[in-house]
Amino acid sequence: DTAVSQTPKYLVTQMGNDKSIKCEQNLGHDTMYWYKQDSKKFLKIMFSYNNKELIINETVPNRFSPKSPDKAHLNLHINSLELGDSAVYFCASSSIAGGQETQYFGPGTRLLVL
Amino acid sequence: EDQVTQSPEALRLQEGESSSLNCSYTVSGLRGLFWYRQDPGKGPEFLFTLYSAGEEKEKERLKATLTKKESFLHITAPKPEDSATYLCAVRGYSSASKIIFGSGTRLSIRP
């Protein structure tokens, strides 16, 4: 069973288009995240939601808008795509059990803006 | 500002040749230090969480240790399947629940 899933896996689109990436976790975790990994493989957090509420909103353009319809889903909508948005976007979820925090990542969505 | 620095950037070892990866961190109150493994084209895979200096955790050929300024990931008698990028991350009390990642160490094990 896939713990954290994302769709689509690949996304190739033209500059100026609007696109969405979907994420679902079946782990029952309360907290979900969106990360961006650039060409140098550096992972940077974009957003974090806890129980459908936004708790971290990093300095990202307001063209990026996360939406959490329920605890198991966190989608990312991107308006007016730019060349610099090309990257791999990872969804993740985390929990704390027995005092130990663990974080699980999805397989990533590879976005290429032409 | 919280910061994570990993070294070396890349490491090539012969199968069976043990070594260590370093993660130096600066954080205002450590809430947790995390190690992940990332294979090409895949998402990071959780390995360990460490919370306090002196803590150690082991999994197969990997052992993670923590001091007040750095963490080491020791790899004992590695095999080619241990080849991957190893990422270190920290969560601090001042960073409002944010996890900050280092740039990773690319480990390559030759048969």
Side-chain angles (χ1 to χ4, degrees):
Chain A
D1 279 349
T2 303
V4 182
S5 59
Q6 295 178 231
T7 54
K9 189 170 182 182
Y10 298 96
L11 189 50
V12 181
T13 188
Q14 297 289 325
M15 233 172 28
N17 283 351
D18 302 338
K19 290 293 178 185
S20 291
I21 307 172
K22 294 187 176 181
C23 176
E24 177 181 1
Q25 55 98 0
N26 62 6
L27 298 164
H29 290 170
D30 289 335
T31 307
M32 295 185 72
Y33 310 81
W34 277 108
Y35 287 87
K36 179 179 179 180
Q37 189 170 45
D38 60 26
S39 56
K40 293 184 179 179
K41 308 298 182 187
F42 192 65
L43 259 174
K44 190 168 182 187
I45 192 165
M46 300 173 70
F47 301 103
S48 174
Y49 268 72
N50 185 270
N51 268 319
K52 295 169 48 180
E53 274 192 48
L54 180 66
I55 56 171
I56 292 176
N57 184 355
E58 281 300 289
T59 309
V60 299
N62 57 15
R63 299 180 293 104
F64 290 80
S65 53
K67 281 190 173 53
S68 181
D70 55 57
K71 214 171 74 164
H73 296 84
L74 180 62
N75 303 324
L76 183 65
H77 188 75
I78 315 170
N79 288 328
S80 304
L81 277 156
E82 299 178 358
L83 295 177
D85 297 333
S86 296
V88 183
Y89 292 85
F90 288 102
C91 177
S93 71
S94 71
S95 73
I96 298 177
Q100 295 291 310
E101 179 178 0
T102 55
Q103 190 172 59
Y104 296 90
F105 282 78
T109 296
R110 283 137 194 89
L111 172 65
L112 178 60
V113 182
L114 302 174
Chain B
E1 186 178 323
D2 298 348
Q3 199 168 350
V4 178
T5 303
Q6 290 188 247
S7 61
E9 191 175 312
L11 182 62
R12 297 186 69 186
L13 300 172
Q14 200 68 35
E15 184 172 1
E17 182 186 358
S18 301
S19 188
S20 297
L21 313 183
N22 178 264
C23 171
S24 297
Y25 65 91
T26 304
V27 67
S28 301
L30 181 69
R31 282 179 62 182
L33 184 140
F34 309 88
W35 281 100
Y36 298 85
R37 168 193 172 127
Q38 187 173 22
D39 292 298
K42 295 193 175 180
E45 176 190 341
F46 172 80
L47 293 173
F48 305 109
T49 308
L50 302 167
Y51 290 98
S52 55
E55 190 175 355
E56 297 183 353
K57 290 207 175 154
E58 285 188 70
K59 180 180 179 180
E60 295 179 358
R61 294 176 292 282
L62 300 175
K63 182 166 86 171
T65 61
L66 181 65
T67 72
K68 288 185 179 179
K69 292 184 180 179
E70 56 192 350
S71 176
F72 291 95
L73 185 65
H74 306 279
I75 302 177
T76 303
K79 298 181 178 182
E81 53 262 42
D82 294 322
S83 297
T85 295
Y86 290 85
L87 299 170
C88 173
V90 296
R91 189 196 290 279
Y93 282 101
S94 67
S95 54
S97 300
K98 191 168 53 175
I99 294 180
I100 296 170
F101 279 82
S103 54
T105 293
R106 288 191 316 278
L107 178 65
S108 175
I109 309 298
R110 300 189 299 270

